[in-house]
Amino acid sequence: MTEARGSAAPPARHTPGTPCWVSLMVHGLAATQEFYGSLFGWEFVPGPQQLGPYVRALLGGQEVAGIGQLPPDRRLPVAWTPYLASDDIELTAETVRLCGGTVGVGPLDAGDAGRLVIGSDPAGAVFGVWQAAAHLGTSVAGVPGTPAWHELLTFETVSVAKFYETVFGYEEEPVGSADFDYVTLHVGGRPVAGLHGVGHTLPRDRGPHWMTYFEVADATDSTRLLTDLGGHVLRPPHDSPHGRVATVADPEGARFALIENPG
């Protein structure tokens, strides 16, 4: 993570290319709700059921994220998936294919909420695309319990950055360092996500994947609570230029990061 994160008042409708939602598919929906409810203070309401049982997480009555239940026979990696906004999901899906990516699901109607695609980039990292209708996406940011940043961990950034730039129209800002492979993606001059090339230090059981950072009031306290709730600490809290950060996993193994806002 190398850039400032969003503002406390996101726009009512997300600009194409910006992360607008984050969703998690798990095997134990009830236990996962209990875990994240205790960790972040989320409450839950039913969401679209097109892909099976699904709930939306609320913070202070505002939508933050979604959690769904995988079919019993699907042994997919459990992972948080960011959704990137689109005004024309058919065109976005076709561009994903033309640029060497894969469309695994959709375009699919999610009731009156909107339309979705689940795809992967040429290196295999999974992401979603969302064309909003009634459901605009995450409606609160900048407070504990909300997504603060999305970062792709991949082998190298050059080719994959070109993919995301072509599909979503991003402007790129490489980090000027010979030994640090990082590109920040911008929309309208604002940083919205990062690409981090880490070579062969990627986890062998994961490969390239997106990582969501959730804001917390105190990284040390939140990490301690996460452990008490059955989660796992992959990298303990440590100082960074953007606050204290910890890399963690929930009880089903979904990896994410906790970031303490230095302000």
Side-chain angles (χ1 to χ4, degrees):
M1 179 174 179
T2 68
E3 290 285 349
R5 308 175 302 280
S7 67
R13 191 174 191 89
H14 293 268
T15 305
T18 59
C20 61
W21 189 243
V22 62
S23 190
L24 175 66
M25 300 296 290
V26 298
H27 297 287
L29 183 56
T32 301
Q33 288 177 248
E34 184 175 348
F35 172 82
Y36 285 101
S38 299
L39 181 63
F40 292 139
W42 291 350
E43 299 175 335
F44 299 91
V45 296
Q49 308 291 303
Q50 275 70 16
L51 298 179
Y54 191 85
V55 296
R56 290 178 180 156
L58 306 181
L59 190 64
Q62 299 188 76
E63 296 183 343
V64 176
I67 303 175
Q69 184 163 315
L70 287 164
D73 58 342
R74 298 295 296 275
R75 307 311 299 180
L76 299 173
V78 176
W80 281 102
T81 300
Y83 281 71
L84 308 173
S86 171
D87 280 346
D88 186 339
I89 205 163
E90 300 283 352
L91 177 60
T92 301
E94 183 61 24
T95 308
V96 166
R97 296 187 187 98
L98 290 173
C99 292
T102 302
V103 174
V105 175
L108 175 72
D109 288 326
D112 63 354
R115 306 192 73 208
L116 67 86
V117 156
I118 300 173
S120 57
D121 66 29
V126 175
F127 62 93
V129 184
W130 182 252
Q131 182 176 340
H135 173 59
L136 298 178
T138 302
S139 57
V140 58
V143 297
T146 60
W149 185 249
H150 301 277
E151 185 171 278
L152 174 65
L153 300 177
T154 190
F155 295 112
E156 52 81 25
T157 64
V158 174
S159 60
V160 76
K162 187 65 175 177
F163 168 83
Y164 286 101
E165 176 188 351
T166 304
V167 174
F168 294 104
Y170 295 125
E171 305 126 20
E172 298 178 26
E173 183 180 299
V175 172
S177 173
D179 58 352
F180 187 58
D181 183 12
Y182 200 100
V183 172
T184 305
L185 302 177
H186 292 247
V187 172
R190 181 173 66 92
V192 297
L195 312 178
H196 190 184
V198 296
H200 295 290
T201 63
L202 276 170
R204 290 188 177 183
D205 61 334
R206 292 283 165 164
H209 62 281
W210 282 91
M211 174 83 74
T212 297
Y213 288 70
F214 290 96
E215 186 161 324
V216 294
D218 187 298
T220 300
D221 288 348
S222 294
T223 303
R224 188 179 300 116
L225 174 58
L226 173 135
T227 303
D228 292 341
L229 294 169
H232 309 282
V233 177
L234 306 178
R235 186 180 180 189
H238 58 279
D239 291 327
S240 81
H242 307 280
R244 286 182 64 76
V245 179
T247 306
V248 298
D250 69 19
E252 287 203 20
R255 302 178 185 212
F256 58 101
L258 304 173
I259 181 161
E260 177 183 332
N261 189 328

